[in-house]
């Protein structure tokens, strides 16, 4: 059974290796942002699904079980479809948020959509994997004070990703005329960096937490 | 205007010239037109009437066209063209100046991609052809050939404006046409870039008049190519000598300058050349020698021009340092006082005694600062400021600065000794802790002020400052949305079931926190006679906010949807306005919605848009206004539409012929004035009535005491409540009337397509005040409310299409209803229209505070304090940044205009604050009278 810290660290490793791998091919983030983001989201989504199972099993009895009133054994088709719909909804809302922040409405739709896809993969997908297909739970866990280790992990990564993307917007209006200053590259880099930082932070947190509980038990 | 000055005087126009562009006075500096006039040349002029103001009585014949009706691009040119052909056939003039304005106006109106540009350029081309062919024909019969100079005073940016530093704005054509060149065949000789300042000396030398005294221009030698070598050398020598005179006047040790030494060598070579001429050298030798002399003169002139322009852009560091020191002091006082403001909430911390310095300390620091100032002023290093160290005003300013600084210094020293560092540290730690536990939106609001100040350090973020404000505004709204989601009852309830052990502590924590917030607010209100009913209401409110009472879930869900929709409406409208007027440098030339409506072929749509916007504005204001006020608003808006129809901008079938619409605009001004007076009179009347009732009550109470009648009988209480209602209404009606008057005047002054910006702003005010703010935690803190309004105002400023470049100021607002230019009125009107956004939001803050607090004076003080702090911090930061960046490439094109904007905004804000505090007094006194009545009964 994998501990949360190990999950975090292996995700970081997966994320970094994906980015490095893309640099070897012709579709790196700087050259073809939309292509990179699309491939990255598929690959990283698969990684998240793969690493999800462990976490889910661990929490079956507590969190996820309580939500639906009975223990979750497997993935029901209907709940999967529901979760997928919510995932699509989150992509759409990230797209809308980007437009509200000033992304062009009619031009660059593909770029904006790829960014929204990335944001949804980094924020909504972990929620879906760990909390099941209930939108209210996602919102509640992300916005309220965390009650368990897993919730704290989710909240840290999601908030770090969002803040990273927010900070990523800062260099866009600067007049350095660099190729990486074009929407959506800075915000994507910001989100990826923020996500990595969030994962590392929660790994550290969980290690510390484990140490604390151990020392208490001793 | 600064460009005309540059063309005629040959000097580099100062930045102040641009700032004072609105006001064109007679040019006193030496210039080529005056030189020609003195030399007895007869000059005729047709075109922009700025020339007539600059050169009064210089022209034998003239016909000026006013240049400020930017919307007109045919009349202005026809007015010039109709004079050209008759003048060409008249022999009684030496110089003719034609200034065509149409192209510039089209650029301002529709940009360089407009279809009108091609037509206009063709028209200009035909004109040049007419003139040139006539001139060449006439030249064959004359001894002296005619010179035709075609030039633009400035270029055009991709957005159609000018005033910036980009290449399309600063590069323009200069064309010399004459039958002298290549015997009238019209082939081109030389193409090379020259400085605009070079035109004045070139014209002066070709016409044989003295070069203007302060010219920094260098003569264009290719133009003189047809004259003899001797004359050419003489012309260059005259120009160089004039530049040496300029150098002597501006640079103290001029004889050590490289340029001067080069000039001396050139003069020697020149005399050698003249000797060679006399002795009879061969022509080829003379030619090469002459070219060498010319080269030498050119090198000397270049050096001199560089040196002089460097000395002209030297900074008065002394005055700048004093200014920055004063600003830093003011902002540190404000920051210290903000701590004091916080301390006031927790009473009994420290007294005002701390703020009185001890006399010895004060005296000693006074003399210290004074001696520093005097020593700088009298020192020989050239640091002394001309502004501060000479003249009565200078000494007065110095004295004021020294006094202020000495008080600050002595206070700082005193507090350094008095402070208990341990308590200070613990207080700081506590403050930090408190900051971390603040709600997100509060934290973000405080952080945003700092972020904005920091962003001013980057020149591109100054150019694109609107992006900063839009970014901050959108984030604030999204955070509000998040906190709405956070308080969503279903999520909270869900969490209860999610966690088996319900976290009661946490909920009650929030509950307590909200209660204490409310209590704090009430304490601040000094509402000592807080009734049980009120507090229970407050508790209920808090309960419902926290989602504790389950039976209200249904209602709350509705509330939740309403809240989300309201915030979403704010977000969407802001996004709409954002693409209404693209501004800044990068995206200014992108087509935006406003541009589309302004196009001449879309006049019908623009009219419909304006009508719809006015209607929406009317509906929104009508809700909260008294009948008379909204009636006047309706009349006024119809008047504004009629005025715009009369000027020909909007479609108005009832208008038979268009003109400047001066009478119509003045009628709207009249409506505005009536509305303002009416609102004031109504308030005054109610107040007087109320004072009367208080007096009556006193008498009544006295009678009652005598007659032993029970005090609290039902009828009087009822009448009291009725009266209270009335009085509250009177105050509300007053502030609402004020806002409505303001909305009407902005509707008149703003450009027609910005009527929508106005309508949407009014809509946003409604949504924010009625639907969003009351639900948020921000509602309980006046400074935070003020901050929200300041941010909205800043965003609205850029929504209107303003930017940090001088070019975007809409000077046409200064001419609404004006026959001709009156500086004070035009300035005020331009300022009102430019700062429409911030002013509207400041006024709505006044409305909100008055409605929320029965006795608003303390709240207003707090709001004003917050507004002042948000102004002082950026100004202080920005002056320091600009001083550090004073040798930056963009200092004149980016940093200086922004400094002007900052100064202007500070002035506007200061007057608003003063006005607000003045209005706060009567409003507060009415509230006080109300309480007095309450106490009496």
């Amino acid at each position: 059974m994998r501990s949360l810290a190990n999950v975090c660290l292996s995700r970081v490793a997966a994320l970094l290796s994906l980015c490095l791998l893309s640099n070897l091919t012709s579709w790196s983030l700087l050259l073809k942002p939309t292509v990179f983001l699309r491939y990255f989201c598929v690959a990283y989504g698969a990684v998240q699904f793969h690493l999800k199972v462990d976490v889910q099993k661990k929490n079956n009895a507590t969190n996820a079980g309580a939500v639906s009133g009975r223990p979750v054994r497997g993935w029901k088709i209907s709940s999967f479809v529901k979760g997928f719909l919510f995932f699509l909804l989150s992509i759409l809302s990230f797209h809308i948020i980007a437009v509200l922040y000033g992304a062009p409405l009619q031009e660059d739709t593909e770029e904006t959509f790829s960014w929204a896809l990335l944001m949804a993969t980094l924020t909504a997908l972990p929620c879906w994997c760990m909390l099941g297909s209930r939108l209210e739970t996602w919102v509640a866990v992300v916005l309220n004070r965390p009650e368990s280790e897993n919730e704290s992990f989710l909240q840290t990564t999601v908030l770090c990703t969002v803040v990273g993307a927010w900070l990523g917007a800062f260099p866009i209006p600067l007049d350095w005329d660099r190729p990486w200053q074009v929407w959506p590259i800075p915000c994507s880099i910001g989100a990826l960096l923020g996500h990595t930082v969030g994962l590392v932070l929660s790994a550290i947190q969980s290690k510390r937490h484990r140490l604390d509980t151990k020392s208490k038990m001793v | 205007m600064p460009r005309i000055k540059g063309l005629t005087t040959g000097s580099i126009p100062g930045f102040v010239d641009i700032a004072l562009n609105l006001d064109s006075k007679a040019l006193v500096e030496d210039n080529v037109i005056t030189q020609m006039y003195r030399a007895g040349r007869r000059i005729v002029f047709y075109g922009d009437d700025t020339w007539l103001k600059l050169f009064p009585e210089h022209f034998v014949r003239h016909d000026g066209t006013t240049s400020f009706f930017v919307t007109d691009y045919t009349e202005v040119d026809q007015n010039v063209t109709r004079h050209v052909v008759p003048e060409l056939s008249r022999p009684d003039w030496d110089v003719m100046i034609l200034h065509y304005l149409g192209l510039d106006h089209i650029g301002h109106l529709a940009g360089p991609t407009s279809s009108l540009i091609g037509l206009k350029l063709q028209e200009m081309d035909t004109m040049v052809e007419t003139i040139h062919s006539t001139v060449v024909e006439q030249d064959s019969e004359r001894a002296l050939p005619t010179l035709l100079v075609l030039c633009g005073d400035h270029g055009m940016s991709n957005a159609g404006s000018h005033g910036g530093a980009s290449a399309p704005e600063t590069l323009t054509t200069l064309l010399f046409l004459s039958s002298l060149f290549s015997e009238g065949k019209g082939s081109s000789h030389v193409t090379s870039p020259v400085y605009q300042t070079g035109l004045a000396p070139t014209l002066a030398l070709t016409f044989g008049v003295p070069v203007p005294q302060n010219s920094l221009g260098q003569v264009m030698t290719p133009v003189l190519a047809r004259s003899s070598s001797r004359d050419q050398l003489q012309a260059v020598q005259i120009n160089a000598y004039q530049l040496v005179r300029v150098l002597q006047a501006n640079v103290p040790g001029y004889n050590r300058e490289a340029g001067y030494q080069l000039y001396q060598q050139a003069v020697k070579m020149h005399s050698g050349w003249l000797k060679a001429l006399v002795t009879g050298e061969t022509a080829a030798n003379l030619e090469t020698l002459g070219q060498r002399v010319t080269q030498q003169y050119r090198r000397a002139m270049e050096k001199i021009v560089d040196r002089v322009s460097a000395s002209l852009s030297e900074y008065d560091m002394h005055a700048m340092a004093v200014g920055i020191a004063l600003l830093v002091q003011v902002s540190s006082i404000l920051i210290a006082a903000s701590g004091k403001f916080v301390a006031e909430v927790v009473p009994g911390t420290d007294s005002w005694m701390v703020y009185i310095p001890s006399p010895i300390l004060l005296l000693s620091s006074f003399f210290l600062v004074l001696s520093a100032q005097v020593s700088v002023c009298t020192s020989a290093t050239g640091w002394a400021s001309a502004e501060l160290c000479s003249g009565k005003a200078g000494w007065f300013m110095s004295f004021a600065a020294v006094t202020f600084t000495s008080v600050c210094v002595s206070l700082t020293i005193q507090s350094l000794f008095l402070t208990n560092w341990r308590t200070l540290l613990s207080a700081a730690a506590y403050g930090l802790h408190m900051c971390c536990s603040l709600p997100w939106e509060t934290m973000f609001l405080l952080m945003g002020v700092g972020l904005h100040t920091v962003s001013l350090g980057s020149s591109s973020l100054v150019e694109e400052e609107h992006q900063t404000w839009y970014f901050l505004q959108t984030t604030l709204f999204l955070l509000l949305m998040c906190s709405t989601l956070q308080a969503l009852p279903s999520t909270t309830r869900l969490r209860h079931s999610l966690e088996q052990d319900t976290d009661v502590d946490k909920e009650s924590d929030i509950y307590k926190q909200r209660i204490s917030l409310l209590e704090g607010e009430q304490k601040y209100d000094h509402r000592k006679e807080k009734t049980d009913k009120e507090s229970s209401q407050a508790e209920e409110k808090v309960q419902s906010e926290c989602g504790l009472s389950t039976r209200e879930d249904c209602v709350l869900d509705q509330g939740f949807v309403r809240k989300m929709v309201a915030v979403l409406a704010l977000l969407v409208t802001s996004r709409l306005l954002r693409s209404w007027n693209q501004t800044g440098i990068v995206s200014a030339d992108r087509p935006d919605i406003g541009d589309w409506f302004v196009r001449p072929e879309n006049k019908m749509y623009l009219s419909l848009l304006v009508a719809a916007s006015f209607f929406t504005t009317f509906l929104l204001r009508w809700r909260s206004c008294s009948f008379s006020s909204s009636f006047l608003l309706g009349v006024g808006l119809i008047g504004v539409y009629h005025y715009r129809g009369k000027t020909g901008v909007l479609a108005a079938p009832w208008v038979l012929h268009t003109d400047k619409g001066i009478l119509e605009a003045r009628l709207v001004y009249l409506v505005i004035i009536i509305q303002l007076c009416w609102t004031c009179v109504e308030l005054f009347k109610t107040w007087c009535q109320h004072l009367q009732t208080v007096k009556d009550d006193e008498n009544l109470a006295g009678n009652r005491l005598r007659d032993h009648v029970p005090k609290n009988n039902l009828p009087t209480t009822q009448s009291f409540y009725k009266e209270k209602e009335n009085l509250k209404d009177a105050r509300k009606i007053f502030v609402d009337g004020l806002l409505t008057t303001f909305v009407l005047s902005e509707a008149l002054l703003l450009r027609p397509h910005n009527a929508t910006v106005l309508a949407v702003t009014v809509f946003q005010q409604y949504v924010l005040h009625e639907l969003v703010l009351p639900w948020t935690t921000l509602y309980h803190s006046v400074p935070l409310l003020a901050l929200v309004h300041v941010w909205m105002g800043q965003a609205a400023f850029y929504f209107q299409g303003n930017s940090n470049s001088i070019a975007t100021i809409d000077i046409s607002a200064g001419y609404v209803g004006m026959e001709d230019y009156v500086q004070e009125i035009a300035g005020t009107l331009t300022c009102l229209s430019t700062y429409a956004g911030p002013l509207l939001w400041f006024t709505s803050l006044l409305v909100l505070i008055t409605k929320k607090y029965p006795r608003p004076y303390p709240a207003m003080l707090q709001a004003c304090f917050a507004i002042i702090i948000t102004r002082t911090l950026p100004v202080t930061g920005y002056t320091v940044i600009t001083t550090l960046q004073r040798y930056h490439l963009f200092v004149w094109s980016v940093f200086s205009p922004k400094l002007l904007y900052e100064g202007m905004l500070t002035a506007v804000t200061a007057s608003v604050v003063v006005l607000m505090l003045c209005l706060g007094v009567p409003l507060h006194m009415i509230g006080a009278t109300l309480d007095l009545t309450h106490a009496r009964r």
Side-chain angles (χ1 to χ4, degrees):
Chain A
M1 195 172 78
R2 283 178 201 170
S3 75
L4 186 63
N6 286 347
V7 168
C8 289
L9 291 179
S10 44
R11 278 192 190 185
V12 170
L15 199 150
L16 288 180
S17 53
L18 276 174
C19 289
L20 284 178
L21 212 79
S22 78
N23 273 334
L24 299 178
T25 62
S26 63
W27 40 271
S28 74
L29 179 57
L30 290 187
L31 296 174
K32 285 187 176 170
T34 50
V35 182
F36 166 80
L37 288 178
R38 221 170 299 152
Y39 285 142
F40 176 84
C41 288
V42 172
Y44 192 64
V47 169
Q48 284 186 336
F49 261 92
H50 174 68
L51 292 172
K52 158 220 88 185
V53 187
D54 292 310
V55 182
Q56 183 85 37
K57 269 178 195 158
K58 215 180 113 219
N59 299 307
N60 260 351
T62 55
N63 262 6
V67 174
S68 50
R70 63 197 153 77
V72 180
R73 290 242 160 64
W75 282 82
K76 292 229 163 163
I77 296 293
S78 65
S79 99
F80 181 81
V81 169
K82 211 171 128 194
F84 189 68
L85 282 180
F86 285 143
F87 180 67
L88 289 184
L89 186 73
S90 69
I91 298 177
L92 185 71
S93 43
F94 275 117
H95 193 107
I96 292 174
I97 286 173
V99 171
L100 288 176
Y101 265 112
L105 183 64
Q106 287 158 338
E107 307 145 39
D108 297 345
T109 328
E110 206 188 339
E111 278 82 357
T112 312
F113 182 78
S114 322
W115 177 80
L117 185 68
L118 175 75
M119 290 304 286
T121 315
L122 296 183
T123 58
L125 203 61
C127 290
W128 182 18
C129 295
M130 288 178 67
L131 302 171
S133 332
R134 285 202 62 160
L135 193 62
E136 302 96 299
T137 333
W138 300 3
V139 174
V141 168
V142 170
L143 290 179
N144 289 303
R145 199 184 290 174
E147 305 297 337
S148 73
E149 205 188 350
N150 290 327
E151 282 186 25
S152 145
F153 155 70
L154 265 184
Q155 191 181 35
T156 316
T157 48
V158 168
L159 288 187
C160 281
T161 311
V162 171
V163 170
W166 189 80
L167 289 174
F170 283 39
I172 294 180
L174 300 178
D175 60 353
W176 302 336
D177 289 333
R178 297 295 145 93
W180 54 265
Q181 275 181 298
V182 181
W183 165 255
I185 301 174
C187 286
S188 308
I189 295 176
L192 287 172
L193 281 180
H195 190 71
T196 318
V197 169
L199 286 175
V200 173
L201 275 182
S202 32
I204 294 168
Q205 250 176 14
S206 115
K207 271 271 187 318
R208 190 181 285 167
H209 184 71
R210 189 143 301 185
L211 283 179
D212 282 357
T213 41
K214 261 186 195 163
S215 61
K216 263 178 205 164
M217 278 164 79
V218 171
Chain B
M1 199 268 281
R3 295 265 77 91
I4 299 178
K5 267 192 183 175
L7 278 172
T8 54
T9 62
S11 57
I12 300 168
F15 194 73
V16 178
D17 283 344
I18 304 169
L20 303 174
N21 189 8
L22 292 175
D23 173 35
S24 345
K25 286 202 187 99
L27 188 59
V28 285
E29 219 177 314
D30 189 16
N31 62 76
V32 70
I33 307 289
T34 312
Q35 287 293 355
M36 287 176 183
Y37 175 68
R38 286 208 196 116
R41 305 287 149 86
R42 288 150 300 171
I43 313 172
V44 291
F45 172 80
Y46 301 102
D48 186 352
D49 63 354
T50 313
W51 286 78
L52 302 181
K53 286 177 195 154
L54 284 176
F55 310 109
E57 299 176 8
H58 279 52
F59 307 119
V60 285
R61 273 190 303 278
H62 59 77
D63 183 10
T65 316
T66 178
S67 60
F68 280 107
F69 291 99
V70 178
T71 47
D72 167 33
Y73 49 83
T74 45
E75 203 99 321
V76 278
D77 287 353
Q78 271 163 15
N79 205 21
V80 181
T81 305
R82 66 191 165 92
H83 293 289
V84 173
V85 178
E87 279 294 343
L88 281 175
S89 57
R90 294 170 82 155
D92 63 339
W93 53 265
D94 301 304
V95 180
M96 174 158 74
I97 302 168
L98 306 172
H99 188 160
Y100 280 96
L101 284 165
L103 190 62
D104 181 52
H105 285 188
I106 294 176
H108 281 295
L109 204 68
T113 51
S114 162
S115 55
L116 297 166
I117 292 267
L119 292 173
K120 184 51 87 182
L121 287 178
Q122 264 168 16
E123 187 191 330
M124 292 296 110
D125 201 40
T126 334
M127 267 331 289
V128 173
E129 196 192 345
T130 316
I131 298 173
H132 183 62
S133 52
T134 325
V135 162
V136 169
E137 207 175 284
Q138 289 175 353
D139 273 358
S140 55
E141 301 151 14
R142 278 186 198 163
L144 272 175
T146 310
L147 177 66
L148 170 60
V149 183
L150 174 73
C151 73
D153 54 349
H154 54 74
M156 188 189 290
S157 74
N158 288 335
S161 69
H162 50 89
S166 69
E169 282 164 88
T170 49
L171 294 181
T172 178
T173 333
L174 174 64
L175 196 63
F176 289 90
L177 297 167
S178 173
S179 57
L180 189 68
F181 307 140
S182 102
E183 284 78 42
K185 277 178 227 136
S187 68
S188 76
H189 264 262
V190 193
T191 48
S192 63
V194 290
Y195 285 109
Q196 198 172 36
T197 48
L199 186 65
T202 310
L203 284 181
L205 290 168
T206 41
F207 280 80
V209 296
V211 179
Q213 200 182 5
N214 293 327
S215 158
L216 282 178
Q218 301 173 42
V219 66
M220 300 162 198
T221 28
V223 180
L224 307 172
R226 303 306 295 183
S227 44
S228 72
S229 297
R230 190 177 176 157
D231 288 350
Q232 275 188 48
L233 275 183
Q234 195 195 358
V236 181
Q237 191 265 328
I238 292 171
N239 193 5
Y241 176 70
Q242 174 261 331
L243 283 174
V244 166
R245 293 290 300 272
V246 175
L247 182 75
Q248 285 174 345
N250 280 291
V251 181
Y254 69 92
N255 41 12
R256 285 192 302 276
E257 291 296 328
Y260 184 72
Q261 278 156 9
L262 282 172
Y263 167 74
Q264 300 254 308
Q265 286 168 18
V267 169
K268 265 181 208 148
M269 284 166 77
H270 192 181
S271 74
W273 186 87
L274 284 175
K275 270 176 202 153
L277 185 73
V278 176
T279 51
E281 281 280 336
T282 58
N285 265 356
L286 278 176
E287 181 82 1
T288 38
L289 262 178
Q291 265 170 10
R292 216 178 287 159
V293 178
T294 318
Q295 285 288 323
Q296 186 72 12
Y297 272 127
R298 285 230 153 270
R299 271 202 293 274
M301 290 200 284
E302 264 157 35
K303 285 271 181 218
I304 293 172
V305 168
D306 283 352
R307 183 66 188 89
V308 173
S309 46
S311 82
L312 283 182
S313 56
E314 259 170 18
Y315 295 93
D316 187 348
M317 284 309 287
H318 180 203
M320 281 160 83
V322 170
I324 289 175
L326 287 179
L327 273 172
V328 168
Q329 286 166 32
V330 169
S331 46
S332 28
I333 288 176
L334 283 173
I335 289 170
S338 76
K340 179 83 182 153
F341 256 92
V342 173
E344 259 177 18
V345 182
V346 189
T349 37
D350 55 353
S351 66
W352 281 97
M353 283 305 283
V354 184
Y355 294 92
I356 298 168
S358 72
I360 304 164
L361 212 54
L362 183 63
L363 265 180
S364 52
S365 56
F366 180 77
F367 283 114
L368 197 77
V369 179
L370 189 68
S371 60
Q373 168 78 357
V374 168
S375 65
V376 171
C377 268
T378 51
S379 72
T381 49
W383 276 76
S385 157
E387 299 288 322
L388 285 178
C389 300
S390 57
K392 231 179 230 174
W395 284 112
F396 179 73
M397 275 195 288
S398 293
F399 182 73
V402 165
T403 317
F404 188 71
T405 314
S406 58
V407 171
C408 278
V409 167
S410 54
L411 274 179
T412 317
I413 295 171
Q414 191 172 336
S415 56
L416 279 181
F417 280 115
L418 285 180
T419 316
N420 183 347
W421 290 103
R422 194 167 291 168
T423 26
L424 193 73
L425 274 181
S426 67
Y430 178 72
L432 212 65
H433 174 74
M434 282 297 286
C435 277
C436 289
S437 62
L438 285 174
W440 292 349
E441 55 268 29
T442 312
M443 214 160 30
F444 180 68
L445 269 173
L446 296 177
M447 206 176 74
V449 178
L451 263 181
H452 169 237
T453 308
V454 171
S455 83
L456 294 177
S458 144
S459 68
S460 30
L461 284 181
V462 171
E463 277 177 338
E464 309 286 315
E465 202 195 340
H466 57 287
Q467 301 282 14
T468 313
W469 286 112
Y470 297 162
F471 193 68
L472 290 178
Q473 194 194 34
T474 312
T475 311
L476 177 69
F477 288 153
L478 283 175
L479 283 179
L480 284 179
M481 220 169 198
C482 280
S483 66
T484 318
L485 276 173
Q486 198 177 15
L488 185 66
S490 59
T491 56
T492 359
R493 200 176 64 238
L494 200 102
R495 291 187 61 78
H496 286 283
S497 58
L498 200 72
E499 310 305 321
Q500 292 301 321
D501 44 346
T502 323
D503 197 349
V504 184
D505 286 350
K506 191 189 135 201
E507 288 294 348
S508 59
D509 261 2
I510 297 176
Y511 179 64
K512 272 176 198 159
Q513 195 187 333
R514 301 239 165 138
I515 284 279
S516 68
L517 259 172
L518 272 179
E519 273 177 357
E521 177 211 339
Q522 278 161 357
K523 208 183 282 167
Y524 187 72
D525 263 354
H526 308 293
R527 223 188 276 165
K528 300 275 191 297
E529 64 282 355
K530 185 172 68 180
T531 59
D532 284 354
K533 194 187 163 196
E534 269 177 316
S535 68
S536 72
Q537 265 179 350
E539 270 170 42
E540 250 177 42
K541 196 171 147 200
V542 171
Q543 274 188 348
S544 57
E545 263 179 34
C546 292
L548 277 183
S549 48
T550 39
R551 61 200 156 74
E552 282 177 43
D553 268 359
C554 199
V555 186
L556 272 171
D557 265 329
Q558 264 182 5
F560 165 74
V561 171
R562 200 195 298 157
K563 272 188 269 182
M564 289 300 267
V565 168
V567 182
L568 204 66
L570 284 179
L571 279 166
V572 171
T573 45
S574 294
R575 181 66 181 83
L576 177 76
L577 288 189
R578 187 181 174 142
S579 42
W580 202 264
N581 288 309
Q582 295 277 11
T583 176
I585 301 295
V586 178
S587 54
D589 50 332
R590 273 196 211 153
D592 53 41
I593 304 172
D595 285 348
W596 187 82
F597 276 109
V598 172
R599 278 189 216 162
E601 66 264 29
N602 294 333
K603 191 175 171 186
M604 207 56 227
Y605 295 108
L606 179 66
S607 311
L608 283 176
L609 178 85
V610 172
S613 307
F614 280 172
F615 188 63
T616 320
T617 315
F618 176 72
L619 281 186
L620 284 167
R621 293 308 309 155
W622 176 53
R623 284 181 54 265
S624 50
C625 276
S626 67
F627 174 75
S628 56
S629 189
S630 49
F631 173 74
L632 283 173
L633 176 71
V635 171
L637 287 177
I638 292 169
V640 173
Y641 189 92
H642 179 63
Y643 160 68
R644 293 289 177 194
K646 191 84 181 168
T647 52
V649 182
L650 298 183
W654 60 88
V655 173
L656 297 177
H657 64 282
T658 57
D659 56 16
K660 290 175 189 171
I662 287 172
L663 181 70
E664 286 76 8
R666 286 191 179 169
L667 281 176
V668 180
Y669 282 129
L670 186 70
V671 172
I672 293 172
I673 291 168
I674 292 175
Q675 200 172 23
L676 196 62
C677 294
W678 187 269
T679 336
C680 292
V681 165
E682 258 189 353
L683 181 79
F684 190 68
K685 221 165 65 186
T686 0
W687 190 16
C688 287
Q689 269 175 6
H690 199 76
L691 282 178
Q692 191 59 42
T693 24
V694 169
K695 216 175 259 174
D696 289 351
D697 278 352
E698 264 170 27
N699 295 339
L700 205 71
N703 291 340
R704 262 194 215 131
L705 274 177
R706 228 178 291 134
D707 304 344
H708 302 284
V709 179
K711 258 184 174 180
N712 276 337
N713 46 357
L714 204 62
T716 41
T717 340
Q718 265 181 357
S719 75
F720 163 69
Y721 276 118
K722 203 178 152 199
E723 232 165 61
K724 188 179 173 181
E725 248 347 271
N726 266 339
L727 214 68
K728 222 177 172 183
D729 273 348
R731 285 163 3 111
K732 267 187 196 174
I733 284 171
F734 173 69
V735 282
D736 270 324
L738 215 60
L739 183 58
T740 309
T741 317
F742 210 73
V743 167
L744 180 55
S745 28
E746 294 303 352
L748 177 63
L749 293 178
L750 286 176
R751 277 171 285 186
H753 75 275
N754 275 346
T756 313
V757 178
L758 184 70
V760 173
T761 307
V762 174
F763 172 72
Q764 283 188 334
Q765 286 174 353
Y766 162 73
V767 171
L768 204 62
H769 286 183
E770 309 282 325
L771 304 176
V772 176
L773 281 180
W775 298 94
T776 60
T777 44
L778 305 176
Y779 199 58
H780 306 302
S781 152
V782 183
L784 291 180
L785 282 182
L787 263 181
V788 172
H789 282 76
V790 169
W791 285 24
M792 295 301 291
Q794 282 297 313
F797 176 74
Y798 294 105
F799 285 151
Q800 281 171 246
N802 287 322
S803 72
N804 281 333
S805 147
I806 299 286
T808 49
I809 298 177
D810 174 30
I811 41 175
S812 63
Y815 295 84
V816 173
M818 291 292 134
E819 293 269 16
D820 44 22
Y821 179 82
V822 185
Q823 196 189 356
E824 290 76 22
I825 297 176
T828 317
L829 293 180
T830 312
C831 177
L832 274 179
S833 91
T834 310
Y835 288 97
L839 287 172
L840 276 170
W841 280 100
F842 282 142
T843 322
S844 83
L845 177 66
L846 177 75
V847 172
L848 182 68
I849 289 178
T850 315
K851 280 184 182 168
K852 195 170 159 233
Y853 296 96
R855 293 212 269 174
Y857 202 69
M860 267 180 201
L861 266 181
Q862 270 198 330
C864 290
F865 188 80
I867 292 172
I868 290 172
I869 272 208
T870 54
R871 205 77 287 289
T872 319
L873 285 182
V875 166
T876 312
Y878 190 67
T879 40
V880 174
I881 288 165
T882 323
T883 311
L884 293 178
Q885 305 268 36
R886 65 189 179 281
Y887 296 117
H888 194 281
L889 181 62
F890 296 151
V891 68
W892 292 114
S893 58
V894 178
F895 286 109
S896 311
K898 173 65 184 160
L899 197 62
L900 281 182
Y901 270 105
E902 283 289 308
M904 198 60 218
L905 181 60
T906 311
V908 168
T909 313
S911 39
V912 164
V913 163
V914 169
L915 205 70
M916 223 160 141
L917 291 179
C918 289
L919 282 176
V921 174
L923 293 176
H924 186 82
M925 278 163 83
I926 292 174
T929 341
L930 183 82
D931 280 1
L932 198 71
T933 336
H934 194 178
R936 281 260 155 67
R937 304 242 171 185

